[in-house]
């Protein structure tokens, strides 16, 4: 992970804290009014979704281009699995192991970025695998369009590439998260269903 990405995560976490304070107060009031008390699970769930959203937006949009930032030569990449060819090119230039290349690590990060979304879709929103894939693809497409349009015209110029491989990897990540969430639910149900064996007292004097 680069220094720029770490800085973006710091900004994302700061944004999460500010947003959570705004959301937390109405949530506390609503819980007290409806249930007469606080529900920790609801607050933790809200915090997790907000944290994920803020960190994701920070990673994909930050840092913003400064006055001296060069414009991109290429702003659109529409060749599926181009990242595989880029790994080969990177190996020819620098050598080393393929799984240590920056291109491969970036592809893995794109997959991992959407795994939590898939978990949320399965556990919180009760979506199926197809629905989760559509959610992941739609969210990724919205991010890519934001980048393609220079944050809908708010940035001075396009500073991130619209990449079809990102769409594919993000969608795969969401589907992997759905599978992981399904396994967590299955494990939870199995734990609940297991009942401790009852000890039966045997009285030797009792006639059976």
């Amino acid at each position: 992970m680069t220094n720029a990405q770490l800085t973006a995560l710091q900004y994302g976490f700061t944004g999460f804290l500010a947003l959570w304070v705004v959301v937390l107060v109405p949530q506390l009031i609503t819980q007290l009014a409806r249930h007469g008390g606080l529900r920790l699970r609801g607050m933790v769930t809200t915090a997790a979704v907000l944290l994920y959203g803020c960190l994701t937006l920070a990673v994909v949009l930050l840092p913003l281009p400064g006055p001296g930032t060069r414009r991109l030569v290429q702003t659109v990449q529409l060749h599926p699995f181009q990242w595989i060819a880029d790994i080969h090119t990177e190996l020819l230039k620098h050598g080393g192991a393929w799984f240590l290349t920056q291109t491969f690590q970036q592809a893995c990060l794109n997959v991992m970025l959407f795994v939590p979304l898939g978990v949320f879709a399965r556990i919180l929103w009760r979506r199926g695998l197809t629905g989760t894939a559509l959610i992941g693809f739609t969210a990724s497409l919205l991010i890519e369009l934001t980048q393609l349009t220079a944050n809908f015209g708010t940035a001075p110029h396009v500073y991130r590439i619209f990449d079809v491989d990102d769409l594919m990897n993000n969608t795969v990540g969401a589907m992997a998260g759905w599978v992981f969430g399904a396994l967590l639910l299955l494990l939870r149900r199995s734990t609940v269903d297991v009942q401790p064996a009852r000890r039966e007292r045997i009285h030797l004097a009792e006639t059976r």
Side-chain angles (χ1 to χ4, degrees), residues 126-148:
R126 305 297 182 182
R127 301 296 181 182
L129 182 59
T130 302
T132 300
L134 290 175
I135 291 174
F137 178 82
T138 302
S140 179
L141 181 61
L142 181 60
I143 291 174
E144 296 298 319
L145 290 176
T146 302
Q147 295 174 342
L148 181 63

Side-chain angles (χ1 to χ4, degrees), residues 4 9 19 27 41 51 66 82 84 92 101 122 136 141-142 145 155 160 164 168 186 188 193:
L9 289 176
L19 184 59
Q27 185 178 25
R41 181 178 179 181
L51 178 61
Q82 178 62 36
I84 298 178
L92 292 178
T101 59
R122 177 64 185 94
L141 181 61
L142 181 60
L145 290 176
R160 295 288 178 90
V164 68
M168 297 168 59
L186 183 61
R188 179 183 177 185
D193 291 341

Side-chain angles (χ1 to χ4, degrees), residues 4-35:
Q5 290 173 328
L6 290 175
T7 302
L9 289 176
Q10 292 175 358
Y11 279 110
F13 185 73
T14 302
F16 155 72
L17 293 178
L19 184 59
W20 193 34
V21 171
V22 175
V23 174
L24 183 60
V25 175
Q27 185 178 25
L28 294 177
I29 296 175
T30 302
Q31 288 187 356
L32 289 174
R34 290 183 177 180
H35 310 291

Side-chain angles (χ1 to χ4, degrees), residues 87-88 90-91 94-105:
I87 290 177
H88 180 68
E90 192 173 342
L91 289 176
H94 308 290
W98 59 270
F99 54 85
L100 296 178
T101 59
Q102 185 176 357
T103 302
F104 177 76
Q105 292 176 3

